[in-house]
């Protein structure tokens, strides 16, 4: 993204700022989604163990 903005001959500060803000937002959303996926996976493992224990009894 920065490469594209850097190719601009006039080097608009707004373009660089917007790209930076979008990149920060994308990183934040990605981290949040990854955290939720890990929590869901851990909960799924707990649920599977409980279900397996119930099936054994």
């Amino acid at each position: 993204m920065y490469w594209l903005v850097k190719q601009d001959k006039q080097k608009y500060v707004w373009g660089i700022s917007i790209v930076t803000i979008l990149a920060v937002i994308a990183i934040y959303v990605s981290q949040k989604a990854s955290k939720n996926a890990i929590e869901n996976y851990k909960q799924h493992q707990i649920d599977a163990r409980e279900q397996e224990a119930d099936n054994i009894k």
Side-chain angles (χ1 to χ4, degrees), residues 6-32:
K6 198 172 184 181
Q7 297 304 312
D8 187 8
K9 300 292 183 196
Q10 297 177 2
K11 297 193 180 191
Y12 289 112
V13 174
W14 281 107
I16 293 171
S17 300
I18 290 171
V19 168
T20 303
I21 290 169
L22 290 174
V24 169
I25 290 170
I27 291 169
Y28 173 76
V29 169
S30 174
Q31 292 295 322
K32 189 82 166 165

